[in-house]
Amino acid sequence: METPERNRVVVVENVRYDYAQVLNVEPVFQTLRASRTEEQCEPVSTRTLAPVQVKGEESKGGFRRFWDSVRGIFTERSEEDEAAVLAHAGSGNAALLTPECKIVEVGREFRRAIAYDVDYVYKGVKFRSRLPEDPGNRLKLRVSITPDIGSLNPETADDR
C-alpha cells in the first residue's frame, strides 16, 4: 500500500523575547600552570667570615683612606684596572662577598573565569545554562514555539 503524497509545508517558528529572574551565578574557572627557572641567592653574612688583616693602611691618614674608598665614584676605571682589583681581592687575605646562588624551578598557577553557570527561573520553572558572561539580575530569553509535526497522525487529525 502506498502512502499518499503529502504537501510539504514549512513551519514558521513563533519567536518572542522575555526576561527571567537570575537566582545564582557561579563562575567556571580555567586553571593554567606554568613553571620557570629563577636564580635564588642567599647573601653571605659578614659575621660568618674570618677577620681580614689589612696591611699598610696604618700609615695612611684618615682623609687618604676615605679618598681610596670613594675614588671610583669620581674617576673612571678601565677594564684592566678593574681586573687588577679583582685579582688582588681574590688573593691573599682580602675577601669577596659573593652570594650563594642556585637555579630553582618556580611553579605558578593562574585562574581565570571562562564561563558562568547561571541558575534562573522562568514562568515558575528553574533552569541552568552555561553562559560566556555574567548576565546580572535579569536574563533576556529567546522563547520559540513550534508545533511538533512528526507527532501528527493523518488518521487522528480528522478526529479533532
Side-chain angles (χ1 to χ4, degrees):
M1 183 168 166
E2 294 183 20
T3 58
E5 193 170 312
R6 296 160 102 190
N7 293 335
R8 298 284 173 176
V9 177
V10 176
V11 178
V12 178
E13 69 179 333
N14 297 299
V15 176
R16 68 183 180 106
Y17 294 92
D18 205 353
Y19 289 91
Q21 179 66 40
V22 174
L23 301 174
N24 187 28
V25 177
E26 295 176 16
V28 178
F29 290 105
Q30 177 185 34
T31 303
L32 301 172
R33 290 181 180 84
S35 63
R36 67 177 189 183
T37 57
E38 290 182 356
E39 184 179 41
Q40 289 186 348
C41 300
E42 297 177 17
V44 176
S45 173
T46 56
R47 294 180 185 173
T48 60
L49 295 175
V52 177
Q53 294 291 333
V54 180
K55 296 180 182 177
E57 295 290 323
E58 299 87 15
S59 63
K60 292 183 181 179
F63 183 75
R64 178 73 179 167
R65 282 192 304 252
F66 170 75
W67 177 250
D68 286 345
S69 66
V70 296
R71 177 177 37 195
I73 297 172
F74 300 107
T75 62
E76 293 186 25
R77 288 187 181 174
S78 67
E79 291 181 16
E80 294 131 5
D81 291 342
E82 290 180 13
V85 169
L86 288 175
H88 175 67
S91 64
N93 292 331
L96 286 177
L97 295 179
T98 57
E100 297 290 326
C101 296
K102 57 183 173 182
I103 303 294
V104 294
E105 190 169 311
V106 178
R108 302 229 173 186
E109 190 171 284
F110 303 96
R111 291 179 59 192
R112 65 177 185 151
I114 58 170
Y116 296 88
D117 286 337
V118 180
D119 296 328
Y120 55 96
V121 62
Y122 177 70
K123 302 252 182 190
V125 180
K126 290 182 182 180
F127 297 93
R128 172 175 268 205
S129 296
R130 182 164 285 183
L131 302 175
E133 297 177 359
D134 186 347
N137 294 330
R138 293 180 6 157
L139 176 63
K140 187 175 183 180
L141 300 176
R142 179 181 182 272
V143 181
S144 170
I145 300 173
T146 55
D148 186 9
I149 298 176
S151 66
L152 292 178
N153 188 350
E155 297 163 3
T156 58
D158 295 335
D159 296 339
R160 288 187 214 171

